């Protein structure tokens, strides 16, 4: 089992990990009246981000899927759910292909320019992961010269300058 240690924690507004309904603000996105008129809303989620979204015994489950189920009970129209890999979710909502996303996402300044977010419900803490038997990393300064991997399209990529600054204070740098 990997060991995880925090490397950065910002205030709630700066580092939000939240299952949210994202309402696209482009002209292509349907508004609530248009959704009611057509009779359905298309909700997109992903399936590989525990505890928010995952598949168990072939069924979507987790907190966000509970939110989709609650929306189905509340909404006066049909809720159609599509499950996608993470990289297609925000673009799909921003272009109007999907009406909303109920997913875990970091809220960034760039994303708030094209998407609307609900209130945050969880805080994000960033970690590095290492092998259990790796004693070479005990603190931030031990990341000096190490290579960092970040998911494509992830908001974590924009956080690398913060890590670089933290390492620089310790006399180090990213690999």
């Amino acid at each position: 089992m990997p060991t995880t240690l925090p490397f950065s924690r910002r205030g709630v507004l700066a580092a939000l990990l939240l299952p949210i309904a994202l309402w696209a603000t482009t002209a292509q996105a349907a508004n609530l009246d248009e959704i009611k008129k057509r009779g359905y809303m298309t909700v997109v989620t992903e399936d590989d981000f525990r505890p928010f979204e995952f598949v168990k015994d072939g069924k979507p489950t987790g907190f966000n899927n509970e939110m989709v189920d609650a929306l189905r009970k509340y909404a006066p129209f049909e809720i159609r759910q599509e499950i996608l890999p993470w990289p297609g979710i925000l673009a799909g909502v921003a272009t109007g292909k999907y009406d909303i996303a109920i997913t875990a996402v970091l809220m960034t300044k760039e994303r708030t320019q094209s998407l609307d977010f609900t209130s945050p419900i969880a805080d994000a803490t960033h970690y590095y992961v290492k092998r259990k038997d790796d004693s070479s990393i005990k603190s931030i300064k031990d990341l000096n010269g190490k290579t960092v991997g970040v998911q494509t399209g992830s908001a974590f990529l924009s956080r690398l300058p913060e890590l670089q600054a933290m390492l620089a204070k310790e006399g180090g740098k990213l690999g």
Side-chain angles (χ1 to χ4, degrees), residues 4-114:
T4 58
L5 299 170
F7 79 74
S8 172
R9 188 173 191 154
R10 284 191 171 187
V12 174
L13 293 177
L16 299 172
L17 175 65
L18 54 145
I20 58 170
L22 298 169
W23 289 90
T25 58
T26 66
Q28 299 173 356
N31 64 36
L32 190 56
D33 289 335
E34 292 167 333
I35 291 167
K36 286 179 181 178
K37 185 176 179 180
R38 76 172 180 227
Y40 68 91
M41 172 186 278
T42 305
V43 175
V44 65
T45 62
E46 67 171 306
D47 66 356
D48 193 22
F49 196 70
R50 290 178 182 259
F52 298 103
E53 304 156 300
F54 58 100
V55 175
K56 183 177 180 182
D57 299 326
K59 182 181 185 283
T61 191
F63 182 80
N64 294 338
N65 286 289
E66 291 173 12
M67 290 179 61
V68 173
D69 291 342
L71 183 58
R72 283 188 172 111
K73 292 175 186 171
Y74 171 80
F77 40 77
E78 178 187 359
I79 302 298
R80 297 180 182 175
Q81 180 180 7
E82 291 193 36
I83 300 173
L84 296 180
W86 165 251
I89 290 180
L90 297 184
V93 174
T95 61
K97 182 174 183 178
Y98 305 103
D99 297 310
I100 65 169
I102 299 179
T103 192
V105 64
L106 288 169
M107 195 164 116
T108 66
K109 181 179 179 182
E110 294 78 18
R111 289 176 178 168
T112 60
Q113 292 174 358
S114 62

Side-chain angles (χ1 to χ4, degrees), residues 68-166:
V68 173
D69 291 342
L71 183 58
R72 283 188 172 111
K73 292 175 186 171
Y74 171 80
F77 40 77
E78 178 187 359
I79 302 298
R80 297 180 182 175
Q81 180 180 7
E82 291 193 36
I83 300 173
L84 296 180
W86 165 251
I89 290 180
L90 297 184
V93 174
T95 61
K97 182 174 183 178
Y98 305 103
D99 297 310
I100 65 169
I102 299 179
T103 192
V105 64
L106 288 169
M107 195 164 116
T108 66
K109 181 179 179 182
E110 294 78 18
R111 289 176 178 168
T112 60
Q113 292 174 358
S114 62
L115 300 164
D116 290 331
F117 293 80
T118 64
S119 298
I121 62 151
D123 184 33
T125 301
H126 308 287
Y127 294 89
Y128 61 83
V129 179
K130 67 176 189 161
R131 291 181 309 281
K132 187 175 184 175
D133 61 349
D134 182 354
S135 61
S136 70
I137 302 173
K138 295 180 182 132
S139 68
I140 296 295
K141 69 180 179 179
D142 297 329
L143 293 175
N144 180 36
K146 303 275 188 208
T147 301
V148 177
V150 181
Q151 182 181 13
T152 301
S154 169
F156 293 115
L157 187 60
S158 67
R159 301 296 300 274
L160 285 180
E162 178 185 358
L163 178 57
Q164 288 174 321
M166 293 170 75

